[in-house]
Amino acid sequence: MLQLFLSEPTWGEYDKNDESYERRRSLLGELESVIWSLLSSEGRSEARLWLCNTLSSIRSISPRRQRDLFVRLLRSKPVKRHLASQLLQLIFEKQPQKMGSIIAKRSHNLETFFKGNSVWVFVPYMGNPRRILQWFSNFSVAGDLEHGNGAKALSRFAFVNRDICWEELEWKGKHGQSPAMVATKPHYFLDLDVQRTVENFLEYVPEFWSSNEFSESLKDGSILLVDTKFFVNLFIDIMYKEDLEEVWDVVEEFLMEQSFSFLCHHLLIILEEQDLRLFLELIPKYLKSKSEVFAFDNSSEWLEIILSKYGGSSTIDQLVLLNAVTNQGRQLLRLVKEEGSEEEKEKIQNLVFQLCESSSCANDLASILGEGLKMKPLELITKLGLQSWAIHFRLSEEFRTPESWESLFISNGIKFRKSDKYALLHDDEFPENSESDYNGRSSVRLKPKKHRKHKKRRREDFDCAESYENELVDFNLSNNKLDLQSKARNWLLSTDGYSTTWSSVDLPEHLSKHCFITWLKWVFAKWRVCLDP
């Protein structure tokens, strides 16, 4: 039977020259090589994404620390334009008014935005038609209060400054409109030739671009949607070339307000390899120290401990591999089956079988643990992760029946209770007025007329269901109820204090993680004894 090594061995009672130790160490090295070969080719981007997802579940970083972490990454050299671009787009989407207020103070700079490309510098009266129409053409029949931001700014400025700019308004009709006429019938603005009018303002009315009317129209940040790429580039220049404190204040505030999970999901996935490596080098400084945290309730917590203690000595490749075999066992198994060559699949299967031989004894793993104290910490932890994934693989491939699972529990000292989660009906749940016939079908007394109306349909439904009898359920005629086939059995286990119902689908992942966490606790406890004063 498969040995899960859940009983802590007696430290030191092993022979480091034992052949089983050398054999297991060699097998783990070979398994690491094959898995890494697969991850570094077909599955590299996916494995990186797995690591980012695990990092996003870290909970111990405070809002101030996460702000400092990402700001330090943003300010590192070379300039992180790609990261800054993604972050600015998130701010534009969630808090556009904060950037809009900054643009409003620099409204005069948007004159060039509506002029368009620099190729038109020698023809200043021409503008960018798309930008002009999208921002200024949103006039409403209802008048000023319903005009869009750009149209409202244009109409209000025109009325207030009609002595200097009314002649620059271009109308689509045969003749222009007077201020008095438009004031009484504001819907006349719908006849304004917006593009030609704004081009006239670009050439002859420079006062408009610094006016209060135009500035007010920008404050809610909706201007950012006209050309997001332009404004992203504009703010990147303001951040890195001008180093404007006001923009960095908005960025820092946003980084504090969002959850660490949100930031990781949206920012880490777009980092270049060297930038992700820098993030992994920086993050240990912002995690709680080893004296503050010593828990293993979920995958992110033990990863936090590893990063806080040994992150500085780790490489991105080590963490990608370790995360894949410990936190993403099921996904790694799928990757092997879908992307691995036949040679790789066969080799992994053979290595897993040898690592999980029933002849393995506790001292075999004890030697790895004992000698591992002399290794680099991440090297030992990775070996334990590889052994746990080998168990995951073996459980997924070979354990199919409830009897095999229960035999595994018993042989490895795991207490269990059978769960009735999927029972269709208990004996004491039959309604008081129900009756059962000898065909195994229970029915409730109904009014005769209604019963006859649906009798034919119910008979057809039952005949259809009966064809699936052998696949899904077994009719128990002795007690007049439906019993689930044994293969649908679920269990409550002592591994998690009987808190969750486990099925055979989820057991390989749960048990392999439980093994890894158990071994890791032993190792960390031993390291604390050896290293702590």
Side-chain angles (χ1 to χ4, degrees), residues 192-358:
L192 189 71
D193 188 326
V194 174
Q195 182 176 337
R196 291 175 59 197
T197 296
V198 174
E199 287 176 348
N200 285 347
F201 275 45
L202 287 170
E203 185 174 9
Y204 303 116
V205 193
E207 297 88 349
F208 171 71
W209 308 103
S210 301
S211 68
N212 290 332
E213 290 81 7
F214 182 54
S215 177
E216 283 295 320
S217 73
L218 306 173
K219 285 185 176 180
D220 70 353
S222 56
I223 186 69
L224 300 169
L225 300 178
V226 174
D227 193 331
T228 301
K229 183 177 180 181
F230 172 89
F231 287 105
V232 164
N233 290 329
L234 174 66
F235 275 104
I236 288 177
D237 287 342
I238 294 175
M239 288 170 64
Y240 290 109
K241 292 182 180 179
E242 299 182 35
D243 196 20
L244 185 67
E245 184 178 354
E246 188 175 6
V247 175
W248 280 104
D249 287 343
V250 171
V251 168
E252 292 182 13
E253 185 178 357
F254 182 82
L255 291 172
M256 283 189 65
E257 291 174 349
Q258 305 307 309
S259 69
F260 187 72
S261 176
F262 174 84
L263 295 175
C264 287
H265 279 305
H266 288 83
L267 300 180
L268 296 190
I269 58 174
I270 56 94
L271 292 181
E272 299 292 339
E273 188 82 0
Q274 64 272 20
D275 294 333
L276 180 58
R277 184 180 296 109
L278 175 59
F279 179 85
L280 292 171
E281 291 174 0
L282 292 174
I283 195 172
K285 301 175 184 178
Y286 300 93
L287 294 168
K288 290 182 179 179
S289 66
K290 64 178 182 179
S291 60
E292 294 177 272
V293 58
F294 194 75
F296 296 91
D297 292 338
N298 58 53
S299 58
S300 69
E301 289 182 338
W302 66 256
L303 182 61
E304 287 180 58
I305 299 173
I306 290 174
L307 288 172
S308 64
K309 289 184 174 182
Y310 316 112
S313 60
S314 66
T315 66
I316 187 172
D317 290 348
Q318 283 179 303
L319 293 175
V320 164
L321 175 64
L322 178 60
N323 181 68
V325 296
T326 54
N327 288 328
Q328 307 293 331
R330 190 179 299 186
Q331 289 79 356
L332 179 57
L333 189 61
R334 174 191 53 78
L335 185 68
V336 169
K337 292 181 177 180
E338 294 180 359
E339 304 294 339
S341 65
E342 291 303 318
E343 181 181 355
E344 287 173 325
K345 293 176 186 176
E346 184 178 353
K347 187 168 185 179
I348 288 175
Q349 192 166 19
N350 290 335
L351 289 169
V352 165
F353 180 81
Q354 295 179 70
L355 284 166
C356 299
E357 279 183 320
S358 58

Side-chain angles (χ1 to χ4, degrees), residues 389-516:
W389 186 79
I391 290 174
H392 185 147
F393 187 102
R394 186 77 177 268
L395 293 175
S396 300
E397 294 293 304
E398 298 183 16
F399 285 73
R400 304 290 185 184
T401 66
E403 292 74 21
S404 63
W405 284 110
E406 290 176 7
S407 178
L408 176 75
F409 301 153
I410 294 171
S411 64
N412 284 278
I414 298 174
K415 297 179 181 179
F416 65 93
R417 302 170 187 165
K418 296 177 184 178
S419 171
D420 58 357
K421 178 180 178 181
Y422 295 104
L424 298 181
L425 201 59
H426 294 284
D427 289 332
D428 57 357
E429 289 179 343
F430 279 87
E432 290 181 4
N433 295 327
S434 67
E435 293 182 348
S436 300
D437 59 27
Y438 288 101
N439 291 324
R441 286 170 288 138
S442 62
S443 61
V444 179
R445 291 175 182 171
L446 301 172
K447 294 181 180 180
K449 187 175 181 179
K450 187 174 182 179
H451 178 76
R452 286 195 301 272
K453 183 177 180 179
H454 297 287
K455 182 176 181 181
K456 183 178 179 180
R457 178 61 182 270
R458 290 176 61 215
R459 178 68 256 178
E460 291 173 352
D461 290 346
F462 181 76
D463 291 340
C464 180
E466 202 169 30
S467 66
Y468 295 93
E469 174 183 328
N470 293 332
E471 292 183 35
L472 300 178
V473 297
D474 178 35
F475 290 97
N476 187 328
L477 303 183
S478 62
N479 58 11
N480 302 316
K481 71 176 181 179
L482 295 175
D483 288 337
L484 289 175
Q485 288 279 27
S486 60
K487 62 184 176 183
R489 190 176 300 166
N490 295 270
W491 299 271
L492 294 162
L493 303 180
S494 60
T495 53
D496 62 354
Y498 307 100
S499 61
T500 304
T501 300
W502 297 101
S503 69
S504 58
V505 174
D506 298 318
L507 274 171
E509 185 172 41
H510 169 65
L511 290 177
S512 61
K513 282 188 175 181
H514 177 69
C515 290
F516 176 71

